[in-house]
Amino acid sequence: MIPAKYVSWGNAGSTIRELAAYGAARAKVIGAENVFDFTIGSPSVAPPESVLEKLRLLAADPDPVALHAYAPAAGIESVRCKVADYLNRSFGSSYDAGDIYMTHGSSSALALVCAALLSPGDEALALAPYFPEYRIYAEQTGAEFTEVLCDLESFRPDMAALEAKLTEKTALVIINSPNNPSGVVLDEDSVKEIAGLLRAKSAEYGHPIYILADEPYRELVYGGLTVPFIPSFYPDTLYCYSFSKSVSLPGERIGYIAMGKDMTDYADVKAAVCGAGRALGYICVSPMFQLAVADTLGDVSDISVYDDNRSLFYDELRKLGFTCIKPDGAFYLFIKAPDGDSRDFCRRAMEKDLLVVPGDDFGCPGFARIAYCVPMQRIVNSLPAFKALAEEYGL
Amino acid sequence: MIPAKYVSWGNAGSTIRELAAYGAARAKVIGAENVFDFTIGSPSVAPPESVLEKLRLLAADPDPVALHAYAPAAGIESVRCKVADYLNRSFGSSYDAGDIYMTHGSSSALALVCAALLSPGDEALALAPYFPEYRIYAEQTGAEFTEVLCDLESFRPDMAALEAKLTEKTALVIINSPNNPSGVVLDEDSVKEIAGLLRAKSAEYGHPIYILADEPYRELVYGGLTVPFIPSFYPDTLYCYSFSKSVSLPGERIGYIAMGKDMTDYADVKAAVCGAGRALGYICVSPMFQLAVADTLGDVSDISVYDDNRSLFYDELRKLGFTCIKPDGAFYLFIKAPDGDSRDFCRRAMEKDLLVVPGDDFGCPGFARIAYCVPMQRIVNSLPAFKALAEEYGL
């Protein structure tokens, strides 16, 4: 009587987490300095001092009863106001507090949006490569999960492939930019093309196709690039944000969903998100962390560290003969397995204590993800092992 | 295409939260001191100083990157060790770290256990009165939710009624002690009777009937009473605990599920809980709050405040002629509507700015819940209004 899907998801674990656990165990045997763990996308840079200072103040709050009390399910009113104002200032949107639903990071935002918009028989379509847990959040609802691979040269969306995958059952398209694992930022032209296609298909099918825009890496972009704000181009967008990466609080689980009033069936969508939050066991998001981020909106960890890592690592891997997507955002390199077999590539890397994640898990075989949110010394120290790997492939 | 159940749960809201919201709005009109809000079970006593001190230390931790990093999905290993040790010391159990799954408070523990053990066609049975969200956590899985009312004189389980409600489809029995809303503590004899019945029925039906023991109020008992530890009497128990009430951190969402290795299908149950956690969007519980509670296990807020409130309020309401269950635990009084119509009773109370919650929502019409986790002065100030209400009923 125990649901098989949960047993299987529980036993399967996540490849990323399992590799990271292997790395931790291996470090005990050969020393942490000899394991080049590039598996987990956990920030290596401290939260902004403003956030830390706010946390210290809250921890010393003279009224801990009020501070740690139950917050409203959708979030503290003043926090939701500040988030809406921040979005409006930044992107010219017109959210108000009622349009913001605070979540336990991106993961719960994604799970709630999937629950709120998908039913058995529906399809959720993710632009690949994508974060592996998308599949579980979609399938959890009884819907089908499908994916459409980007163009593997430019890493831009393959519009013909996207159009071919859309069906009458498509209820949700999941887009992640800056992208995990490729580091690619979706450009404005691509957003406009996708919006145009989905608008046409929504009209053709007689029901809205919503976009879930998953943007935990929005601020992690390099070279002065701008990340288009998808809701400006496509009102039927549920914008999901997380503070995990931008202010380095991944364990503390804080983020939000923004839903614009010009969205189709706005009231029902909002109610369904709230209802899903209730049914999936979410009572409220930590008031301590809601208050910590609300007063420091726009502050970001020192991403110059990631930028330096990115330049160094990208250049060195290219010099060694590897092919790599040039990442404009996030903190990942997506490296091509020289012979196309990414699982074998990761296995061979592991023999040299280089821990990287096969792209297969991200819907993109043939590549491997290297998380460079690590101390730069780890990158430097890993280069001889990458050199040996390159030589093994005859690069 | 938007799932109707989520829209309806989102729109319905919780009566408790809606009454509390009404109270907050009313306070702005007539002044907070004139609204006698007894709706929400949010602690009124500060967290123990040990917990607050630990939070201050963590907020000043010199390595915030490590502190706020992703924690393992099931919890930080050292925290799970300490929780297991604490349970073993307290109750003679034999849990180890692997048996503990840290959760975002009781709510997520309940949602995960329901997801892990219930499928469409199954039944979850709650001993009434019960916390209203139980129904949603069970129905969310597609299972049926049923309830069995206790004996309304003694507020002990009605064993004949329980036996009559068990069917081949019963997969889970939800028990909450000390009880919200009645304040009644399940005695050891009752636990043994329930365990005996469920053991016999499990054998008869050829599948285990699990108990979900929801115990956020375990430490909130008065008069030296002992709360039986249900897993000691019935190994097929998933023990759900929350720190919300015991250390006054309800908004911060921290608790756990303990699963004993002598449980039927232990490995599958544990995997299903992990898989459900993953699918419902839970990544990990705040490391800051995990560490804060793990080093202060057994420390409890000053519950003498609740005890004083309880004695005063109970005595005064009795003097006014009301009939009330004598509460041995939690921080609620369960008062009888003099004419049996509890919704009307709450409406008439509201006219006097006394905010209490109808028992109907807890599966127990005819009563109303009064949360006495409030400043004592509010209780004192409310007595004239209760007196007027008693007079209105001719008590």
Side-chain angles (χ1 to χ4, degrees):
Chain A
M1 290 168 35
I2 300 166
K5 66 178 177 183
Y6 294 127
V7 175
S8 117
W9 287 333
N11 282 329
S14 123
T15 306
I16 300 171
R17 287 200 163 224
E18 277 174 14
L19 278 167
Y22 168 84
R26 179 79 175 145
K28 285 184 188 162
V29 180
I30 62 166
E33 71 284 6
N34 298 313
V35 179
F36 310 114
D37 184 350
F38 301 111
T39 54
I40 279 209
S42 198
S44 58
V45 178
E49 183 48 36
S50 58
V51 173
L52 294 174
E53 172 63 13
K54 185 77 191 165
L55 281 175
R56 286 191 295 270
L57 285 171
L58 289 164
D61 192 289
D63 189 355
V65 169
L67 171 62
H68 300 297
Y70 288 113
I76 297 171
E77 182 73 10
S78 65
V79 172
R80 297 164 77 199
C81 266
K82 286 177 190 173
V83 167
D85 288 350
Y86 176 77
L87 290 173
N88 298 344
R89 273 200 316 278
S90 305
F91 309 116
S93 52
S94 50
Y95 296 111
D96 63 31
D99 305 331
I100 308 298
Y101 185 95
M102 302 300 296
T103 65
H104 294 246
S106 259
S107 61
S108 79
L110 287 155
L112 296 190
V113 169
C114 285
L117 294 180
L118 297 172
S119 300
D122 289 344
E123 288 175 6
L125 176 63
L127 269 57
Y130 58 83
F131 185 58
E133 303 298 285
Y134 291 173
R135 172 182 293 278
I136 293 182
Y137 301 141
E139 289 182 350
Q140 146 71 14
T141 70
E144 296 284 316
F145 178 81
T146 58
E147 55 192 67
V148 57
L149 196 54
C150 65
D151 177 281
L152 288 182
E153 291 304 316
S154 66
F155 268 74
R156 298 185 72 222
D158 178 338
M159 291 305 297
L162 173 59
E163 180 164 5
K165 286 268 185 158
L166 291 169
T167 79
E168 269 206 305
K169 297 177 179 174
T170 310
L172 186 65
V173 172
I174 308 178
I175 300 176
N176 170 227
S177 167
N179 185 259
N180 169 13
S182 73
V184 170
V185 175
L186 200 67
D187 61 87
E188 193 174 307
D189 284 345
S190 295
V191 172
K192 285 179 177 164
E193 284 174 40
I194 293 170
L197 175 61
L198 295 187
R199 209 171 276 123
K201 287 290 178 179
S202 295
E204 179 186 334
Y205 300 145
H207 66 77
I209 300 173
Y210 293 95
I211 287 179
L212 187 170
D214 178 30
E215 300 203 355
Y217 299 98
R218 165 162 284 279
E219 291 84 2
L220 276 65
V221 286
Y222 314 104
L225 216 71
T226 303
V227 182
F229 187 66
I230 298 179
S232 305
F233 300 89
Y234 193 73
D236 284 344
T237 299
L238 291 97
Y239 177 77
C240 297
Y241 182 77
S242 165
F243 294 89
S244 292
K245 319 294 181 177
S246 59
V247 300
S248 305
L249 293 174
E252 308 298 351
R253 315 308 304 140
I254 173 129
Y256 59 80
I257 305 168
M259 293 162 278
K261 273 181 283 291
D262 47 357
M263 173 180 289
T264 309
D265 296 327
Y266 167 76
D268 277 357
V269 170
K270 212 174 79 165
V273 166
C274 294
R278 204 176 159 190
L280 270 46
Y282 293 96
I283 294 284
C284 64
V285 173
S286 158
M288 188 157 172
F289 284 96
Q290 285 193 60
L291 295 171
V293 299
D295 279 345
T296 57
L297 288 170
D299 292 355
V300 173
S301 299
D302 176 12
I303 65 162
S304 71
V305 175
Y306 301 137
D307 199 6
D308 292 344
N309 283 354
R310 175 183 77 113
S311 303
L312 171 79
F313 217 168
Y314 178 76
D315 290 345
E316 292 295 332
L317 290 177
R318 298 266 292 184
K319 271 190 232 161
L320 291 173
F322 289 108
T323 303
C324 221
I325 312 307
K326 171 91 185 184
D328 289 315
F331 40 42
Y332 307 105
L333 284 170
F334 211 42
I335 188 174
K336 207 166 178 173
D339 64 359
D341 185 340
S342 40
R343 289 203 190 276
D344 186 56
F345 176 78
C346 294
R347 194 188 51 70
R348 286 160 77 163
M350 195 190 249
E351 285 171 5
K352 295 173 177 54
D353 291 308
L354 292 170
L355 304 185
V356 301
V357 184
D360 309 59
D361 288 59
F362 301 92
C364 195
F367 291 80
R369 188 187 83 167
I370 301 176
Y372 59 78
C373 45
V374 299
M376 188 186 267
Q377 198 57 48
R378 187 182 303 169
I379 297 171
V380 172
N381 293 348
S382 76
L383 294 176
F386 273 109
K387 185 161 190 286
L389 189 61
E391 281 164 3
E392 206 176 295
Y393 278 102
L395 299 182
Chain B
M1 288 168 36
I2 299 167
K5 65 178 179 183
Y6 294 127
V7 175
S8 118
W9 286 333
N11 282 330
S14 125
T15 307
I16 300 171
R17 287 200 163 226
E18 276 174 13
L19 278 166
Y22 167 84
R26 180 79 175 145
K28 284 183 188 163
V29 179
I30 62 167
E33 69 286 4
N34 298 314
V35 179
F36 309 113
D37 183 351
F38 301 111
T39 54
I40 280 211
S42 199
S44 58
V45 177
E49 183 48 36
S50 58
V51 173
L52 294 174
E53 172 63 13
K54 184 76 192 168
L55 281 175
R56 287 192 293 269
L57 285 171
L58 288 165
D61 192 290
D63 188 356
V65 169
L67 172 62
H68 300 297
Y70 289 112
I76 298 170
E77 182 74 10
S78 66
V79 172
R80 298 163 78 200
C81 266
K82 285 176 189 171
V83 168
D85 287 350
Y86 176 76
L87 290 173
N88 298 344
R89 274 199 317 277
S90 304
F91 309 118
S93 52
S94 49
Y95 297 111
D96 61 32
D99 305 331
I100 308 298
Y101 185 95
M102 301 302 296
T103 65
H104 294 246
S106 259
S107 62
S108 79
L110 286 155
L112 296 190
V113 169
C114 285
L117 295 180
L118 297 172
S119 300
D122 289 344
E123 288 176 7
L125 177 62
L127 270 55
Y130 59 83
F131 184 58
E133 303 298 285
Y134 290 175
R135 172 182 293 278
I136 293 181
Y137 302 141
E139 288 182 350
Q140 145 72 13
T141 69
E144 296 284 317
F145 179 80
T146 59
E147 53 192 70
V148 57
L149 197 54
C150 64
D151 177 281
L152 286 182
E153 290 306 316
S154 66
F155 269 73
R156 298 185 72 222
D158 179 337
M159 292 304 298
L162 174 59
E163 181 163 4
K165 285 269 184 157
L166 292 169
T167 78
E168 269 205 306
K169 297 176 179 174
T170 311
L172 186 65
V173 172
I174 308 178
I175 300 176
N176 171 227
S177 166
N179 186 260
N180 169 13
S182 73
V184 170
V185 176
L186 200 67
D187 62 87
E188 192 173 308
D189 284 346
S190 295
V191 173
K192 285 179 179 165
E193 283 174 41
I194 293 170
L197 175 61
L198 294 187
R199 210 171 276 124
K201 288 289 180 181
S202 295
E204 181 185 333
Y205 299 145
H207 66 75
I209 299 173
Y210 292 95
I211 288 179
L212 188 169
D214 178 29
E215 300 203 355
Y217 299 99
R218 164 162 286 278
E219 290 85 2
L220 276 64
V221 287
Y222 314 105
L225 215 72
T226 303
V227 182
F229 188 66
I230 298 178
S232 304
F233 299 90
Y234 192 73
D236 284 344
T237 300
L238 291 96
Y239 177 78
C240 296
Y241 182 78
S242 164
F243 294 89
S244 292
K245 319 296 179 175
S246 58
V247 301
S248 305
L249 293 174
E252 307 298 351
R253 315 309 303 141
I254 172 132
Y256 58 81
I257 305 167
M259 295 162 277
K261 273 180 283 291
D262 46 357
M263 173 180 289
T264 309
D265 295 327
Y266 167 77
D268 277 357
V269 170
K270 212 173 80 164
V273 166
C274 295
R278 205 176 158 189
L280 271 48
Y282 293 96
I283 294 284
C284 64
V285 173
S286 158
M288 188 157 172
F289 284 96
Q290 286 193 58
L291 295 171
V293 298
D295 279 345
T296 57
L297 288 170
D299 292 356
V300 173
S301 299
D302 177 12
I303 65 163
S304 71
V305 176
Y306 302 136
D307 199 7
D308 291 345
N309 283 356
R310 175 183 76 114
S311 303
L312 170 80
F313 217 169
Y314 177 76
D315 290 346
E316 291 295 332
L317 290 177
R318 297 267 293 184
K319 270 190 233 162
L320 291 173
F322 289 108
T323 303
C324 221
I325 312 307
K326 171 89 184 182
D328 290 315
F331 40 42
Y332 307 104
L333 283 170
F334 211 41
I335 188 173
K336 208 166 177 173
D339 65 359
D341 185 341
S342 39
R343 290 202 189 276
D344 186 55
F345 176 78
C346 294
R347 196 189 50 72
R348 286 160 78 162
M350 195 191 247
E351 285 171 6
K352 296 171 176 57
D353 291 309
L354 291 170
L355 303 184
V356 301
V357 184
D360 309 59
D361 287 58
F362 301 93
C364 195
F367 291 79
R369 189 187 81 166
I370 302 176
Y372 59 78
C373 44
V374 299
M376 188 185 265
Q377 198 56 48
R378 188 182 304 169
I379 297 172
V380 172
N381 293 348
S382 76
L383 293 176
F386 273 109
K387 185 162 187 288
L389 189 62
E391 281 163 4
E392 206 175 295
Y393 277 102
L395 299 183

